[in-house]
Amino acid sequence: NLFSLLSELGGGYKDSRDRRTRLELRTARPPRIPSGATPLPRIAAPKESAPAPAGAPAAAPAAAPGLIGGKYDLGAQIGAGGTGIVFIGYDHAVKRKIALKKMHSAFRSNRTVRERFLQGARIVAQLTHPYIVSIHDVVEHDQEIYLVFDYIEGDSLDQLLEKHKRLDLADCTRIFDHVCQAVDAAHRGRVLHRDLKPSNIIVDKNGFAKVLDFDLAREAKDTISKLTQSDNSGTLAYMAPEQHLGDSRRASDVYSLGISIYETLTGTLPFKGPDFLAQKERKKY
C-alpha cells in the first residue's frame, strides 16, 4: 500500500536496485548535463569603440543588444502554463543551452508583488542539488521577468504517464527516490514546494528525475489569481486539505508526493473532483 511504499522509499528500496526496467533508469550519481548542443544563432554585437585614454576610468561593458540580460539568446517556445511561457535559449557566457521562463504579464502591473516574487525567486535560486532543476539567474528585461533554468532533455512525468498510462513499482520507486531526495534537500533549506505534481517532475534522457518550480509556481499562481481575479490553480487534485484553506507546511508537500505516487502506479487520481476538499475530508477516493 501507499504507506508501505513511502516507508520503503525512505529506506532507499535497495532490493529493487538491480531490476531491469522499461525506462532503464539508473541509480548512479547524475553526470553533468551535456552542453555540446548546437547553439542558437548569435545576434551581431556592436562594433568595438576606440580605446579610452590612458588613466581614464574603465567603462562598464555594454550589454549586447537584443539579448535577454545582455547574454541570453531567446529561441523557440517549448512550453506554456498559467504562470508563464518557457523558451529554449542559449547562454553565451558559458556556451550552453538553457531554458528561459517569461513570467505572466500580470507581474508588470504591481511593483510590490513583483519585488516580492523576485525576492522569492532569488531565495529559491540558492537551492543546489543533483535532483533539483536549478535557477541560474533572475533577469528583468523590458519590464518582463525571466527565470533562467537548466535545460533538461527528457520528458515530464505527466508526459510519461500519458504515453504509458502508468509505471511499474520498480520504475516508480527509482523516480520517487530522486524526488524524495530533492524535496528533503529543499525542506532542510527551509523551502517548500507547494505545487508538487507529475508535470513538475522531469525524467532526463539518462533516467534521473529532477524537480522544478520549488515554491515559485504556487506563489505565481496565487499572485496571478489575485491580480487578474481568475482561478489559476489547476492543481487542486494534488493539494493537501490544509492548502485549500491557505496553510502550507512540509507535510503538505509529502501529501502531494503521495498523490503523485498513487497516480504514477495506478494511472488515475485518487480524488477526481469537482469538490476536491470534500472528497479528501470524507476520504472518497
Side-chain angles (χ1 to χ4, degrees), residues 169-246:
L169 180 60
D171 288 344
C172 179
T173 300
R174 286 189 173 90
I175 288 173
F176 281 96
D177 176 48
H178 298 163
V179 174
C180 284
Q181 290 184 56
V183 172
D184 178 62
H187 285 180
R188 283 188 280 109
R190 297 178 175 270
V191 174
L192 299 178
H193 193 289
R194 301 202 301 147
D195 198 31
L196 190 61
K197 56 186 177 179
S199 62
N200 282 334
I201 298 168
I202 306 293
V203 181
D204 72 14
K205 65 179 185 179
N206 294 311
F208 297 104
K210 299 171 185 284
V211 184
L212 68 156
D213 275 355
F214 274 90
D215 200 42
L216 294 176
R218 183 79 261 154
E219 177 72 23
K221 286 176 182 176
D222 292 345
T223 299
I224 293 166
S225 294
K226 291 175 185 175
L227 293 176
T228 62
Q229 314 245 312
S230 61
D231 179 11
N232 202 24
S233 55
T235 53
L236 296 176
Y238 302 92
M239 287 171 57
E242 65 270 15
Q243 281 186 280
H244 287 264
L245 306 176

Side-chain angles (χ1 to χ4, degrees), residues 18-284:
D18 297 328
R19 297 178 188 174
R20 181 175 181 180
T21 67
R22 181 178 62 254
L23 297 180
E24 297 181 349
L25 303 176
R26 304 172 189 168
T27 57
R29 188 171 182 84
R32 184 177 296 276
I33 296 173
S35 59
T38 303
L40 299 175
R42 180 191 289 271
I43 297 175
K47 295 181 180 180
E48 296 184 2
S49 57
L67 299 183
I68 304 299
K71 59 180 179 179
Y72 305 118
D73 267 327
L74 190 66
Q77 179 178 326
I78 55 176
T83 62
I85 304 172
V86 182
F87 300 88
I88 193 170
Y90 186 75
D91 185 343
H92 287 287
V94 294
K95 312 297 184 190
R96 70 174 178 184
K97 281 185 179 180
I98 53 165
L100 283 157
K101 185 170 187 177
K102 179 182 177 182
M103 299 306 298
H104 194 284
S105 58
F107 285 97
R108 284 184 286 183
S109 61
N110 190 308
R111 184 173 182 80
T112 302
V113 237
R114 179 189 183 92
E115 290 303 319
R116 189 176 65 200
F117 178 79
L118 286 169
Q119 182 180 12
R122 291 178 181 118
I123 291 173
V124 175
Q126 296 175 22
L127 286 176
T128 56
H129 189 272
Y131 302 137
I132 291 177
V133 179
S134 300
I135 300 177
H136 295 299
D137 201 358
V138 183
V139 179
E140 294 183 82
H141 182 85
D142 287 342
Q143 297 188 329
E144 304 285 3
I145 299 176
Y146 292 87
L147 304 181
V148 182
F149 293 94
D150 291 327
Y151 174 71
I152 309 296
E153 292 187 49
D155 292 315
S156 62
L157 182 54
D158 67 327
Q159 290 173 325
L160 290 175
L161 292 176
E162 187 175 346
K163 291 178 185 176
H164 304 290
K165 306 304 179 186
R166 62 182 183 177
L167 304 184
D168 63 28
L169 180 60
D171 288 344
C172 179
T173 300
R174 286 189 173 90
I175 288 173
F176 281 96
D177 176 48
H178 298 163
V179 174
C180 284
Q181 290 184 56
V183 172
D184 178 62
H187 285 180
R188 283 188 280 109
R190 297 178 175 270
V191 174
L192 299 178
H193 193 289
R194 301 202 301 147
D195 198 31
L196 190 61
K197 56 186 177 179
S199 62
N200 282 334
I201 298 168
I202 306 293
V203 181
D204 72 14
K205 65 179 185 179
N206 294 311
F208 297 104
K210 299 171 185 284
V211 184
L212 68 156
D213 275 355
F214 274 90
D215 200 42
L216 294 176
R218 183 79 261 154
E219 177 72 23
K221 286 176 182 176
D222 292 345
T223 299
I224 293 166
S225 294
K226 291 175 185 175
L227 293 176
T228 62
Q229 314 245 312
S230 61
D231 179 11
N232 202 24
S233 55
T235 53
L236 296 176
Y238 302 92
M239 287 171 57
E242 65 270 15
Q243 281 186 280
H244 287 264
L245 306 176
D247 182 20
S248 296
R249 56 191 79 170
R250 293 184 183 188
S252 309
D253 282 349
V254 177
Y255 184 97
S256 300
L257 179 65
I259 298 289
S260 299
I261 292 173
Y262 185 106
E263 183 182 16
T264 302
L265 285 171
T266 67
T268 188
L269 284 165
F271 306 105
K272 299 183 179 180
D275 194 342
F276 291 98
L277 179 57
Q279 290 175 352
K280 292 169 186 177
E281 291 177 333
R282 297 169 189 169
K283 301 181 181 179
K284 297 291 184 182

